[in-house]
Amino acid sequence: MTHLLFLLHVGSTLYMMGLIWFIQVVHYPLHAHVGAEQFSNYQHLHMNWTTFVVGPPMLIEMVTTVFFLITPPLHVPYWMLVIGAFFLSMIWGSTIIFQVPFHSTLTKSFEVNTHKKLVMSNWIRTFFWSCRGILVLYMTSILLKKITI
């Protein structure tokens, strides 16, 4: 069971790392090209559909992070789990403090300054999910070294 949870943990983190890079480099910059008349409707659809795509993996990542803090996997240094949890808290904090309010403001209409703040503040999540991705890959390499093939 712990092996499956660890794979879910790694998978959810790597999925989110890839997705956040797509959002940061492609998706958010394209917001500026939707057009003022369609933007409010676009933003509502974006928020609804994005929640479906990011909600489950974010929850899996959070639940498995807490699980491994309580029940650490054998051979993985505990400090790595703590650092990973710190990275995740920065991601969730940024989401709550910056991304959610900026997206809410953009549902009313496209505002250039709010859009710029959304794109710039999202680098926080991009950075920390990248760090988490590297960290979970390193944890995986530690565990793979323990397997006798």
Side-chain angles (χ1 to χ4, degrees):
M1 179 65 163
T2 303
H3 293 80
L4 177 60
L5 288 176
F6 188 78
L7 289 174
L8 284 171
H9 181 72
V10 172
S12 63
T13 297
L14 294 178
Y15 171 87
M16 288 307 302
M17 182 183 79
L19 183 61
I20 201 68
W21 273 100
F22 174 79
I23 288 169
Q24 183 63 33
V25 175
V26 177
H27 189 64
Y28 279 175
L30 286 175
H31 278 48
H33 302 282
V34 172
E37 290 181 20
Q38 298 92 359
F39 192 81
S40 181
N41 186 48
Y42 168 84
Q43 182 63 11
H44 282 286
L45 291 171
H46 160 79
M47 289 174 67
N48 289 338
W49 295 352
T50 299
T51 299
F52 175 73
V53 173
V54 302
M58 283 182 75
L59 289 174
I60 290 168
E61 185 181 33
M62 180 180 57
V63 168
T64 56
T65 295
V66 171
F67 175 82
F68 288 123
L69 285 172
I70 296 167
T71 311
L74 196 60
H75 307 298
V76 174
Y78 194 73
W79 66 265
M80 288 184 175
L81 301 169
V82 172
I83 295 293
F86 169 75
F87 292 162
L88 193 59
S89 70
M90 296 303 289
I91 291 163
W92 278 82
S94 178
T95 301
I96 293 164
I97 294 167
F98 298 117
Q99 279 70 48
V100 170
F102 292 151
H103 277 295
S104 294
T105 299
L106 290 170
T107 60
K108 297 173 190 86
S109 67
F110 182 79
E111 295 177 7
V112 173
N113 287 336
T114 302
H115 177 254
K116 285 181 183 178
K117 290 175 185 176
L118 174 69
V119 173
M120 292 307 296
S121 65
N122 196 57
W123 279 111
I124 297 167
R125 298 191 307 174
T126 304
F127 173 76
F128 282 110
W129 255 314
S130 298
C131 291
R132 278 191 56 77
I134 292 165
L135 185 65
V136 298
L137 287 174
Y138 187 64
M139 285 185 224
T140 303
S141 75
I142 291 170
L143 293 175
L144 287 174
K145 287 179 187 175
K146 299 297 178 184
I147 296 174
T148 305
I149 297 177

